[in-house]
Amino acid sequence: MDDDPYVRSALSAVLSATDGMTLFAVYDDGAEIVEAGTANVDVVLMDIRMPRMNGIRATQEIKKARQSPEVIMLTTFDLSEEVTESLRAGAAGYVMKDSDPTELVDAIRKVVSGQMILSPSVTRQLVDFVHDSTERRQIAQKKLRALAPREFEVAIAISEGKSNTDISVELFLSVPTVKSHVSSIFTKLDVTSRLQVALFVRDARER
């Protein structure tokens, strides 16, 4: 979804030609996808800046649903407060608009498998950003205390960018058990994405 017709056309061409992917719809504003709904959609490519409803607000609305798709933000700004805000809204990561088509396809496949899409520069920015607030740190610590010991270990692994398969190997758990822990963590922390779990973990850590 993008308000630039050339970007929409290019994305449509790439995704339509990719095996294993089906392009359901293309919109030019956040309000349109919120109104249309995202049932049976696995991933939404979301532009940050759009005229009526921007990508951050649209992501917030989409992620309110119990079964919501993963959202990948499209941006031309590698280090931007808007990127940080969109990630806090529930986006699984972001890709640059001028990325190679193979990078975009790879990003989509990664978020479907439960991974986050972040560049090292944005990761550093997030670490600095989340530690700026003492109140946010205290809230995060209180939330994390509600997790069972095993859930906390899974949350730590999520914050390190590990997939469910990686976590199962590291913690000697079956993948279904890891998925069950992840679902419980989402419920207890009241979040909808693995990145939000990671932010809670980083919020809770002292400088």
Side-chain angles (χ1 to χ4, degrees):
M1 176 167 45
D2 197 291
D3 62 342
D4 186 329
Y6 296 104
V7 173
R8 291 200 305 273
S9 178
L11 290 175
S12 297
V14 170
L15 299 179
S16 297
T18 301
D19 291 337
M21 292 188 184
T22 300
L23 181 63
F24 280 96
V26 180
Y27 302 98
D28 63 7
D29 188 79
E32 291 184 358
I33 191 170
V34 171
E35 293 166 2
T38 55
N40 301 316
V41 175
D42 295 315
V43 179
V44 173
L45 297 178
M46 184 85 73
D47 189 14
I48 292 181
R49 297 182 177 181
M50 291 179 287
R52 283 198 298 155
M53 181 184 289
N54 66 33
I56 298 171
R57 174 68 185 282
T59 298
Q60 291 172 331
E61 293 298 317
I62 288 173
K63 300 303 288 187
K64 287 180 181 178
R66 182 175 295 275
Q67 297 294 330
S68 60
E70 299 292 352
V71 177
I72 297 176
M73 307 306 294
L74 299 172
T75 179
T76 55
F77 306 95
D78 189 20
L79 286 177
S80 165
E81 184 177 345
E82 291 173 324
V83 171
T84 302
E85 290 176 1
S86 67
L87 297 176
R88 283 197 169 277
Y94 84 103
V95 294
M96 305 298 291
K97 287 187 179 182
D98 59 358
S99 295
D100 185 273
T102 57
E103 292 180 23
L104 175 63
V105 171
D106 183 57
I108 293 172
R109 288 177 171 152
K110 282 183 177 178
V111 299
V112 169
S113 69
Q115 298 182 57
M116 298 175 291
I117 309 300
L118 288 177
S119 73
S121 59
V122 168
T123 300
R124 288 193 297 272
Q125 181 191 29
L126 285 172
V127 172
D128 292 339
F129 177 79
V130 298
H131 283 307
D132 282 344
S133 171
T134 299
E135 180 181 3
R136 186 159 42 240
R137 184 181 304 117
Q138 293 172 341
I139 291 173
Q141 290 172 344
K142 181 178 179 180
K143 286 265 192 179
L144 290 174
R145 282 196 291 270
L147 301 181
R150 208 52 158 167
E151 292 170 346
F152 183 75
E153 289 179 332
V154 172
I156 294 296
I158 289 173
S159 74
E160 295 169 350
K162 294 174 181 173
S163 67
N164 289 344
T165 301
D166 294 333
I167 296 172
S168 72
V169 172
E170 179 178 304
L171 300 181
F172 303 100
L173 300 170
S174 68
V175 172
T177 298
V178 173
K179 290 181 177 179
S180 178
H181 283 319
V182 172
S183 177
S184 179
I185 291 168
F186 277 23
T187 298
K188 290 182 178 181
L189 298 184
D190 191 24
V191 299
T192 58
S193 78
R194 297 169 79 92
L195 180 56
Q196 289 173 307
V197 174
L199 289 177
F200 265 116
V201 172
R202 292 187 183 280
D203 278 342
R205 290 175 175 169
E206 296 290 339
R207 277 187 181 274

